[in-house]
Amino acid sequence: MRVAKAKPRIGYAICVDNREFPVSLVRWKVYRLLSGVQATPQGHVIAADELGESYTFPASCFKRIESDRGLRRLLNRRYPGELEWWVRNR
């Protein structure tokens, strides 16, 4: 039996815990997240800031934002980045 691979998922989240990464993460800041990428350690996500720079962090540092289509469109314009590259090339 073949197990289907989960598709990487792009979403948005607020940083709620930056104690381990005070220089890299800003508490209460919105980040664009990519989860479900095989290259990342279990329990980690790829987070991109508004400049498009992305790094791997524990998922526990973030709280996901559930959004409607309009809010997602606004956030996509505000947070362009390289996460689509991860989706296309993994």
Side-chain angles (χ1 to χ4, degrees):
M1 182 162 85
R2 197 166 180 208
V3 177
K5 276 199 261 182
K7 278 183 76 172
R9 183 177 137 186
I10 294 177
Y12 294 92
I14 296 173
C15 174
V16 293
D17 182 4
N18 70 338
R19 286 177 287 188
E20 289 184 58
F21 309 97
V23 175
S24 303
L25 292 175
V26 178
R27 194 165 182 219
W28 307 121
K29 182 175 177 179
V30 175
Y31 290 87
R32 199 165 183 205
L33 294 189
L34 178 63
S35 58
V37 176
Q38 287 184 348
T40 58
Q42 183 72 22
H44 283 66
V45 294
I46 298 171
D49 61 17
E50 69 278 2
L51 301 175
E53 297 179 13
S54 58
Y55 303 94
T56 302
F57 296 100
S60 60
C61 292
F62 302 95
K63 177 71 176 153
R64 284 197 175 271
I65 299 171
E66 300 302 326
S67 64
D68 63 10
R69 188 176 295 174
L71 178 58
R72 185 172 295 276
R73 250 186 261 130
L74 288 172
L75 289 171
N76 282 339
R77 276 191 240 136
R78 174 74 171 105
Y79 293 88
E82 58 191 39
L83 295 182
E84 285 80 6
W85 179 90
W86 284 95
V87 172
R88 287 191 307 270
N89 295 295
R90 295 289 175 203

XYZ file of all heavy atoms in Angstrom:
742
model
N 0.834 -1.170 0.000
C 0.000 0.000 0.000
C 0.885 1.241 0.000
O 1.856 1.326 0.729
C -0.895 -0.002 1.236
C -1.825 1.166 1.259
S -3.208 0.928 2.381
C -2.482 1.451 3.900
N 0.516 2.209 -0.801
C 1.296 3.420 -0.948
C 0.708 4.536 -0.087
O -0.488 4.784 -0.117
C 1.264 3.836 -2.410
C 2.316 4.806 -2.745
C 2.428 4.885 -4.244
N 3.466 5.838 -4.520
C 3.542 6.561 -5.588
N 2.641 6.430 -6.518
N 4.515 7.407 -5.758
N 1.569 5.211 0.655
C 1.127 6.308 1.515
C 1.322 7.612 0.754
O 2.401 7.882 0.235
C 1.937 6.345 2.831
C 1.520 7.520 3.683
C 1.779 5.037 3.571
N 0.281 8.422 0.687
C 0.363 9.702 -0.002
C 1.167 10.694 0.831
O 1.022 10.761 2.038
C -1.032 10.255 -0.259
N 2.017 11.451 0.123
C 2.805 12.471 0.795
C 1.939 13.697 1.038
O 1.147 14.083 0.196
C 3.980 12.898 -0.081
C 5.175 12.022 0.023
C 6.389 12.752 -0.488
C 6.683 12.346 -1.904
N 7.874 12.979 -2.444
N 2.104 14.299 2.188
C 1.377 15.533 2.481
C 1.992 16.670 1.673
O 3.210 16.753 1.534
C 1.462 15.842 3.968
N 1.144 17.529 1.124
C 1.620 18.678 0.376
C 2.122 19.735 1.345
O 1.530 19.938 2.398
C 0.491 19.273 -0.455
C 0.252 18.580 -1.751
C -0.835 19.273 -2.530
C -0.287 20.541 -3.138
N -1.227 21.181 -4.065
N 3.210 20.403 0.988
C 3.634 21.529 1.815
C 2.513 22.555 1.897
O 1.771 22.757 0.942
C 4.839 22.090 1.061
C 5.340 20.947 0.245
C 4.114 20.159 -0.124
N 2.397 23.190 3.038
C 1.303 24.133 3.280
C 1.869 25.502 3.633
O 2.683 25.633 4.544
C 0.468 23.590 4.427
C -0.739 24.389 4.760
C -1.500 23.700 5.862
N -1.923 24.740 6.800
C -2.514 24.517 7.925
N -2.747 23.285 8.304
N -2.873 25.491 8.705
N 1.442 26.527 2.875
C 1.858 27.892 3.159
C 0.741 28.572 3.941
O -0.424 28.442 3.610
C 2.146 28.681 1.869
C 3.351 28.086 1.146
C 2.395 30.151 2.178
C 3.663 28.743 -0.176
N 1.117 29.257 4.990
C 0.138 29.965 5.801
C 0.815 31.107 6.542
O 1.977 31.421 6.295
N 0.089 31.693 7.451
C 0.613 32.807 8.237
C 0.472 32.499 9.711
O -0.431 31.785 10.125
C -0.130 34.093 7.888
C 0.142 34.516 6.473
C -0.689 34.098 5.449
C 1.254 35.279 6.165
C -0.416 34.449 4.144
C 1.531 35.630 4.866
C 0.688 35.217 3.846
O 0.969 35.549 2.559
N 1.397 33.056 10.489
C 1.371 32.827 11.927
C 2.000 34.014 12.647
O 2.765 34.778 12.057
C 2.127 31.555 12.279
N 1.669 34.111 13.904
C 2.248 35.129 14.777
C 3.271 34.448 15.669
O 3.008 33.368 16.212
C 1.157 35.793 15.630
C 0.181 36.539 14.724
C 1.770 36.717 16.672
C -1.018 37.096 15.448
N 4.416 35.066 15.822
C 5.427 34.540 16.742
C 4.939 34.779 18.167
O 4.660 35.913 18.559
C 6.760 35.234 16.517
S 8.001 34.769 17.732
N 4.814 33.710 18.931
C 4.354 33.833 20.315
C 5.455 33.505 21.330
O 5.282 33.737 22.517
C 3.115 32.931 20.576
C 1.922 33.445 19.788
C 3.399 31.483 20.269
N 6.579 32.971 20.843
C 7.673 32.607 21.751
C 9.002 32.752 21.016
O 9.299 31.982 20.114
C 7.488 31.172 22.241
C 8.566 30.740 23.218
O 9.432 31.568 23.595
O 8.554 29.561 23.600
N 9.783 33.745 21.384
C 11.084 33.943 20.749
C 12.241 33.772 21.727
O 13.362 34.194 21.453
C 11.151 35.319 20.086
C 11.191 36.451 21.091
O 10.778 36.298 22.232
N 11.692 37.599 20.661
N 11.993 33.124 22.862
C 13.034 32.990 23.900
C 14.294 32.301 23.393
O 15.399 32.691 23.749
C 12.493 32.252 25.119
C 11.548 33.108 25.946
C 10.979 32.335 27.074
N 10.006 31.396 26.495
C 9.193 30.639 27.189
N 9.245 30.653 28.496
N 8.333 29.859 26.597
N 14.145 31.287 22.556
C 15.321 30.581 22.032
C 15.992 31.331 20.890
O 17.158 31.073 20.584
C 14.914 29.195 21.527
C 14.561 28.221 22.616
C 14.266 26.853 22.044
O 15.150 26.281 21.375
O 13.134 26.374 22.248
N 15.259 32.251 20.244
C 15.770 32.946 19.061
C 15.487 34.449 19.139
O 14.851 35.017 18.251
C 15.101 32.372 17.797
C 15.176 30.883 17.716
C 14.113 30.099 18.141
C 16.307 30.256 17.226
C 14.172 28.723 18.069
C 16.375 28.875 17.160
C 15.316 28.107 17.583
N 15.945 35.138 20.199
C 15.582 36.548 20.381
C 16.103 37.474 19.283
O 15.518 38.518 19.031
C 16.189 36.907 21.743
C 17.285 35.920 21.944
C 16.835 34.660 21.260
N 17.171 37.093 18.617
C 17.719 37.921 17.551
C 16.984 37.660 16.234
O 16.783 38.573 15.439
C 19.233 37.652 17.379
C 19.800 38.402 16.194
C 19.972 38.024 18.656
N 16.549 36.436 16.022
C 15.956 36.049 14.745
C 14.447 36.241 14.667
O 13.913 36.480 13.584
C 16.251 34.572 14.466
O 17.631 34.338 14.478
N 13.742 36.086 15.784
C 12.289 36.190 15.783
C 11.842 37.369 16.639
O 12.407 37.626 17.693
C 11.649 34.913 16.349
C 11.790 33.646 15.521
C 11.210 32.459 16.277
C 11.111 33.801 14.174
N 10.809 38.047 16.171
C 10.219 39.162 16.915
C 8.857 38.705 17.426
O 8.002 38.303 16.640
C 10.059 40.405 16.016
C 9.398 41.535 16.780
C 11.404 40.835 15.461
N 8.695 38.748 18.731
C 7.428 38.317 19.324
C 6.285 39.206 18.848
O 6.436 40.416 18.762
C 7.532 38.356 20.842
C 6.412 37.632 21.507
C 6.750 37.380 22.954
N 5.665 36.627 23.551
C 5.228 36.830 24.772
N 5.816 37.704 25.543
N 4.243 36.116 25.239
N 5.160 38.612 18.514
C 3.930 39.231 18.020
C 4.025 39.681 16.556
O 3.103 40.287 16.047
C 3.455 40.381 18.903
C 3.323 39.977 20.328
C 3.973 40.519 21.385
C 2.517 38.910 20.863
N 3.629 39.858 22.546
C 2.726 38.863 22.246
C 1.645 37.982 20.296
C 2.111 37.942 23.074
C 1.024 37.059 21.128
C 1.258 37.049 22.494
N 5.115 39.375 15.874
C 5.254 39.717 14.460
C 4.618 38.615 13.607
O 4.658 37.441 13.971
C 6.735 39.859 14.111
C 6.997 40.270 12.681
C 8.480 40.494 12.463
C 8.765 40.841 11.031
N 10.197 41.079 10.819
N 4.042 39.000 12.469
C 3.447 38.030 11.542
C 4.532 37.498 10.614
O 5.329 38.268 10.062
C 2.321 38.686 10.706
C 1.800 37.710 9.658
C 1.190 39.154 11.603
N 4.562 36.182 10.472
C 5.497 35.510 9.572
C 4.719 34.632 8.596
O 3.649 34.123 8.925
C 6.473 34.617 10.353
C 7.469 35.395 11.168
C 7.160 35.800 12.461
C 8.705 35.729 10.652
C 8.065 36.528 13.219
C 9.623 36.451 11.399
C 9.297 36.840 12.683
O 10.197 37.553 13.422
N 5.278 34.446 7.435
C 4.724 33.515 6.463
C 5.383 32.170 6.736
O 6.604 32.085 6.850
C 5.071 34.003 5.062
C 4.224 33.419 4.000
C 4.378 34.213 2.734
N 3.494 33.658 1.742
C 3.691 33.764 0.463
N 4.734 34.408 0.002
N 2.841 33.221 -0.372
N 4.585 31.118 6.878
C 5.113 29.807 7.244
C 4.913 28.788 6.135
O 3.923 28.818 5.414
C 4.402 29.254 8.477
C 4.576 29.948 9.802
C 3.963 29.090 10.901
C 6.023 30.205 10.109
N 5.852 27.868 6.069
C 5.738 26.708 5.196
C 5.948 25.488 6.069
O 6.973 25.357 6.737
C 6.776 26.747 4.085
C 6.806 25.573 3.138
C 5.495 25.469 2.365
C 7.959 25.688 2.176
N 4.958 24.620 6.114
C 5.082 23.398 6.904
C 4.895 22.197 5.998
O 4.385 22.310 4.888
C 4.054 23.377 8.034
O 2.754 23.490 7.510
N 5.327 21.045 6.463
C 5.166 19.812 5.699
C 6.245 19.584 4.660
O 6.078 18.798 3.745
N 7.392 20.245 4.781
C 8.508 20.048 3.854
C 9.394 18.952 4.410
O 9.785 18.996 5.571
C 9.309 21.361 3.680
C 10.510 21.145 2.795
C 8.423 22.449 3.124
N 9.733 17.991 3.588
C 10.501 16.837 4.059
C 11.885 17.209 4.562
O 12.432 16.545 5.417
C 10.622 15.804 2.954
C 9.332 15.075 2.690
C 9.516 13.985 1.653
O 10.531 13.918 0.988
N 8.524 13.143 1.528
N 12.467 18.278 4.060
C 13.830 18.652 4.447
C 13.911 19.240 5.854
O 14.990 19.372 6.397
C 14.400 19.653 3.448
N 12.781 19.600 6.438
C 12.801 20.197 7.766
C 12.664 19.123 8.841
O 11.994 18.119 8.636
C 11.662 21.226 7.937
O 10.421 20.586 7.694
C 11.835 22.403 7.007
N 13.305 19.328 9.987
C 13.161 18.364 11.083
C 11.709 18.280 11.555
O 10.945 19.238 11.397
C 14.040 18.941 12.188
C 14.925 19.934 11.538
C 14.191 20.422 10.323
N 11.353 17.151 12.134
C 9.997 16.953 12.654
C 9.654 18.054 13.653
O 10.459 18.400 14.502
C 9.918 15.583 13.339
C 8.554 15.219 13.846
C 7.602 14.885 12.706
O 8.005 14.537 11.628
N 6.321 15.001 12.978
N 8.465 18.621 13.530
C 8.028 19.658 14.461
C 8.562 21.040 14.149
O 8.449 21.943 14.965
N 9.159 21.212 12.970
C 9.700 22.505 12.572
C 8.959 23.036 11.345
O 8.359 22.271 10.602
C 11.189 22.394 12.250
C 12.048 22.312 13.463
N 12.008 21.243 14.340
C 12.975 23.152 13.950
C 12.878 21.443 15.307
N 13.474 22.589 15.104
N 9.035 24.345 11.161
C 8.455 25.002 9.997
C 9.502 25.950 9.422
O 10.456 26.324 10.094
C 7.179 25.800 10.355
C 6.064 24.876 10.804
C 7.465 26.849 11.406
N 9.295 26.339 8.184
C 10.127 27.356 7.566
C 9.362 28.666 7.683
O 8.214 28.753 7.263
C 10.428 27.023 6.099
C 11.218 25.714 6.020
C 11.185 28.166 5.433
C 11.386 25.176 4.634
N 9.991 29.667 8.273
C 9.349 30.968 8.466
C 10.075 32.006 7.627
O 11.301 32.050 7.606
C 9.403 31.364 9.938
N 9.292 32.836 6.917
C 9.860 33.916 6.108
C 9.345 35.246 6.632
O 8.175 35.381 6.981
C 9.472 33.742 4.649
N 10.230 36.236 6.650
C 9.814 37.568 7.078
C 9.403 38.392 5.866
O 9.339 37.897 4.749
C 10.914 38.244 7.891
C 12.207 38.433 7.105
O 12.188 38.347 5.853
O 13.240 38.688 7.744
N 9.127 39.677 6.091
C 8.640 40.523 5.008
C 9.694 40.788 3.939
O 9.368 41.218 2.836
C 8.094 41.855 5.556
C 9.141 42.781 6.128
C 9.540 42.444 7.552
O 9.040 41.462 8.127
O 10.366 43.176 8.115
N 10.956 40.511 4.234
C 12.020 40.662 3.239
C 12.183 39.408 2.388
O 12.948 39.391 1.444
C 13.344 40.994 3.931
C 13.342 42.272 4.760
C 14.668 42.434 5.484
C 13.047 43.471 3.879
N 11.472 38.346 2.768
C 11.545 37.106 2.014
C 12.630 36.158 2.491
O 12.821 35.090 1.927
N 13.368 36.528 3.528
C 14.395 35.651 4.071
C 13.726 34.571 4.906
O 12.836 34.854 5.701
C 15.376 36.452 4.918
C 16.126 37.477 4.114
C 17.087 38.288 4.961
O 17.355 37.902 6.119
O 17.566 39.309 4.459
N 14.162 33.315 4.712
C 13.494 32.225 5.422
C 14.486 31.367 6.197
O 15.619 31.176 5.770
C 12.701 31.365 4.440
O 13.551 30.854 3.449
N 13.991 30.876 7.339
C 14.791 30.053 8.240
C 13.887 29.007 8.864
O 12.670 29.146 8.883
C 15.418 30.917 9.348
C 16.265 32.033 8.799
C 15.723 33.299 8.603
C 17.587 31.819 8.448
C 16.489 34.330 8.077
C 18.366 32.841 7.918
C 17.812 34.092 7.735
O 18.570 35.103 7.216
N 14.489 27.976 9.435
C 13.743 26.898 10.076
C 13.686 27.143 11.591
O 14.713 27.429 12.214
C 14.426 25.540 9.802
O 14.490 25.346 8.402
C 13.652 24.409 10.417
N 12.464 27.024 12.139
C 12.243 27.214 13.567
C 11.279 26.143 14.068
O 10.498 25.600 13.290
C 11.621 28.584 13.854
C 12.482 29.743 13.496
C 12.270 30.435 12.315
C 13.517 30.142 14.323
C 13.069 31.515 11.970
C 14.320 31.215 13.993
C 14.093 31.901 12.810
N 11.276 25.880 15.381
C 10.269 24.975 15.936
C 8.862 25.562 15.734
O 8.650 26.767 15.899
C 10.612 24.910 17.428
C 12.032 25.353 17.523
C 12.239 26.321 16.397
N 7.926 24.711 15.372
C 6.548 25.156 15.150
C 5.945 25.749 16.420
O 5.054 26.592 16.355
C 5.701 23.988 14.645
N 6.449 25.344 17.581
C 5.904 25.835 18.856
C 6.158 27.330 19.073
O 5.562 27.930 19.955
C 6.494 25.038 20.013
O 7.905 25.187 20.029
N 7.012 27.942 18.269
C 7.272 29.381 18.379
C 6.138 30.210 17.781
O 6.093 31.425 17.976
C 8.566 29.744 17.652
S 10.053 29.087 18.418
N 5.219 29.558 17.055
C 4.204 30.284 16.296
C 2.792 29.819 16.616
O 2.575 28.676 16.991
C 4.432 30.081 14.795
C 5.789 30.513 14.341
C 6.833 29.605 14.248
C 6.039 31.840 14.007
C 8.092 29.996 13.834
C 7.283 32.247 13.597
C 8.320 31.328 13.506
N 1.848 30.708 16.410
C 0.421 30.397 16.473
C -0.160 30.763 15.112
O -0.080 31.910 14.676
C -0.256 31.212 17.585
C -1.744 31.015 17.671
C -2.073 29.655 18.205
C -3.590 29.543 18.359
N -4.073 28.216 18.271
N -0.722 29.759 14.429
C -1.251 29.971 13.069
C -2.413 30.952 13.058
O -3.215 30.993 13.979
C -1.719 28.666 12.458
C -0.579 27.818 11.995
C -1.057 26.750 11.024
N 0.086 26.030 10.524
C 0.771 26.385 9.445
N 0.414 27.427 8.752
N 1.806 25.688 9.056
N -2.487 31.718 11.976
C -3.599 32.640 11.732
C -4.505 31.987 10.706
O -4.070 31.688 9.594
C -3.101 33.986 11.168
C -2.156 34.669 12.145
C -4.284 34.886 10.804
C -1.466 35.884 11.560
N -5.732 31.730 11.082
C -6.712 31.215 10.127
C -7.340 32.429 9.467
O -7.827 33.323 10.148
C -7.772 30.365 10.836
C -7.197 29.160 11.546
C -6.416 28.215 10.632
O -6.791 28.060 9.443
O -5.426 27.642 11.108
N -7.300 32.475 8.148
C -7.749 33.686 7.469
C -8.700 33.396 6.322
O -8.729 32.298 5.786
C -6.539 34.450 6.926
O -5.876 33.682 5.950
N -9.444 34.417 5.964
C -10.297 34.298 4.790
C -9.482 34.677 3.548
O -8.332 35.098 3.646
C -11.550 35.158 4.924
C -11.247 36.649 5.012
O -10.096 37.056 4.793
O -12.175 37.402 5.297
N -10.067 34.535 2.393
C -9.354 34.765 1.135
C -8.853 36.203 1.013
O -7.746 36.445 0.548
C -10.260 34.419 -0.044
C -9.534 34.444 -1.361
C -10.407 34.023 -2.479
N -10.780 32.618 -2.281
C -11.640 31.974 -3.026
N -12.253 32.582 -4.001
N -11.911 30.706 -2.800
N -9.664 37.187 1.424
C -9.265 38.586 1.316
C -8.039 38.907 2.162
O -7.109 39.573 1.701
N -8.040 38.418 3.394
C -6.892 38.640 4.267
C -5.665 37.935 3.716
O -4.566 38.484 3.718
C -7.191 38.151 5.686
C -6.057 38.286 6.690
C -5.595 39.734 6.824
C -6.487 37.737 8.035
N -5.834 36.737 3.202
C -4.700 35.999 2.628
C -4.094 36.771 1.452
O -2.878 36.855 1.315
C -5.144 34.609 2.194
C -3.999 33.756 1.717
C -4.441 32.331 1.481
N -4.844 31.695 2.716
C -4.003 31.121 3.570
N -2.726 31.119 3.330
N -4.454 30.559 4.668
N -4.944 37.362 0.588
C -4.441 38.153 -0.541
C -3.616 39.348 -0.041
O -2.548 39.638 -0.572
C -5.597 38.651 -1.404
C -5.626 37.970 -2.731
C -6.681 38.550 -3.637
N -7.825 37.653 -3.565
C -9.068 37.997 -3.336
N -9.394 39.248 -3.210
N -10.018 37.102 -3.256
N -4.112 40.045 0.982
C -3.369 41.173 1.537
C -2.030 40.733 2.118
O -1.008 41.377 1.914
C -4.196 41.858 2.627
C -5.389 42.669 2.162
C -6.210 43.119 3.361
C -4.942 43.865 1.350
N -2.033 39.632 2.854
C -0.789 39.133 3.444
C 0.186 38.671 2.365
O 1.391 38.877 2.488
C -1.091 38.007 4.432
C -1.770 38.439 5.729
C -2.223 37.219 6.517
C -0.866 39.315 6.569
N -0.312 38.063 1.298
C 0.568 37.628 0.211
C 1.280 38.813 -0.426
O 2.442 38.711 -0.811
C -0.223 36.868 -0.861
C -0.530 35.455 -0.441
O 0.125 34.897 0.433
N -1.541 34.870 -1.041
N 0.590 39.946 -0.549
C 1.231 41.144 -1.102
C 2.261 41.710 -0.139
O 3.302 42.199 -0.544
C 0.185 42.208 -1.419
C -0.427 41.984 -2.766
C -1.259 43.187 -3.169
N -2.611 42.683 -3.340
C -3.704 43.246 -2.905
N -3.646 44.378 -2.267
N -4.875 42.703 -3.101
N 1.963 41.647 1.147
C 2.850 42.223 2.164
C 4.078 41.351 2.409
O 5.139 41.838 2.737
C 2.060 42.396 3.474
C 2.884 42.837 4.652
C 3.256 44.304 4.541
N 3.849 44.771 5.765
C 5.147 44.997 5.916
N 5.974 44.814 4.935
N 5.612 45.427 7.064
N 3.921 40.055 2.270
C 4.999 39.122 2.591
C 5.386 38.280 1.380
O 5.183 37.078 1.363
C 4.578 38.194 3.736
C 4.407 38.921 5.043
C 3.194 39.492 5.385
C 5.474 39.063 5.915
C 3.038 40.184 6.575
C 5.327 39.747 7.107
C 4.111 40.304 7.427
O 3.964 40.985 8.601
N 5.967 38.898 0.349
C 6.445 38.087 -0.767
C 7.647 37.287 -0.276
O 8.261 37.644 0.727
C 6.849 39.120 -1.809
C 7.235 40.306 -1.000
C 6.322 40.288 0.208
N 7.958 36.239 -0.930
C 9.116 35.494 -0.451
C 9.427 34.295 -1.294
O 8.865 34.089 -2.354
N 10.342 33.521 -0.773
C 10.835 32.372 -1.509
C 10.121 31.086 -1.133
O 10.535 30.014 -1.543
C 12.326 32.238 -1.274
C 12.677 32.099 0.190
C 14.152 32.240 0.461
O 14.797 33.070 -0.166
O 14.643 31.487 1.308
N 9.051 31.156 -0.365
C 8.391 29.927 0.061
C 7.812 29.159 -1.119
O 7.777 27.935 -1.099
C 7.301 30.228 1.085
C 7.804 30.791 2.415
C 6.643 30.990 3.363
C 8.850 29.897 3.042
N 7.358 29.864 -2.152
C 6.845 29.164 -3.325
C 7.933 28.298 -3.948
O 7.669 27.244 -4.487
C 6.290 30.149 -4.358
C 4.960 30.731 -3.979
C 5.067 31.879 -2.979
O 6.187 32.318 -2.656
O 4.006 32.322 -2.511
N 9.186 28.754 -3.867
C 10.294 27.960 -4.380
C 10.355 26.618 -3.667
O 10.557 25.587 -4.291
C 11.616 28.722 -4.203
C 12.784 27.946 -4.699
C 13.302 27.951 -5.948
C 13.586 27.023 -3.947
N 14.365 27.088 -6.019
C 14.559 26.510 -4.806
C 13.562 26.580 -2.623
C 15.511 25.583 -4.389
C 14.511 25.651 -2.208
C 15.467 25.174 -3.092
N 10.175 26.624 -2.354
C 10.203 25.393 -1.586
C 9.102 24.442 -2.043
O 9.294 23.236 -2.147
C 10.032 25.673 -0.097
C 11.261 26.210 0.558
C 11.569 27.501 0.778
C 12.357 25.455 1.066
N 12.784 27.615 1.378
C 13.283 26.364 1.576
C 12.627 24.090 1.136
C 14.476 25.959 2.145
C 13.806 23.689 1.726
C 14.716 24.616 2.213
N 7.924 24.990 -2.317
C 6.802 24.167 -2.744
C 7.088 23.561 -4.118
O 6.847 22.386 -4.362
C 5.489 24.991 -2.781
C 4.355 24.194 -3.403
C 5.123 25.432 -1.373
N 7.610 24.361 -5.035
C 7.870 23.884 -6.402
C 9.029 22.904 -6.468
O 9.034 22.009 -7.303
C 8.178 25.071 -7.314
C 6.991 25.909 -7.665
C 7.340 26.889 -8.780
N 8.511 27.692 -8.497
C 8.506 28.872 -7.884
N 7.384 29.380 -7.477
N 9.632 29.532 -7.677
N 10.032 23.061 -5.622
C 11.271 22.296 -5.767
C 11.474 21.203 -4.726
O 12.563 20.673 -4.613
C 12.465 23.263 -5.721
C 12.446 24.192 -6.904
O 12.601 23.748 -8.032
N 12.189 25.461 -6.651
N 10.469 20.844 -3.997
C 10.606 19.759 -3.004
C 9.727 18.617 -3.357
O 8.729 18.659 -3.906
C 10.270 20.255 -1.605
C 11.218 21.282 -1.112
C 12.545 20.682 -0.796
N 13.468 21.749 -0.440
C 14.774 21.628 -0.536
N 15.317 20.565 -0.994
N 15.551 22.594 -0.187
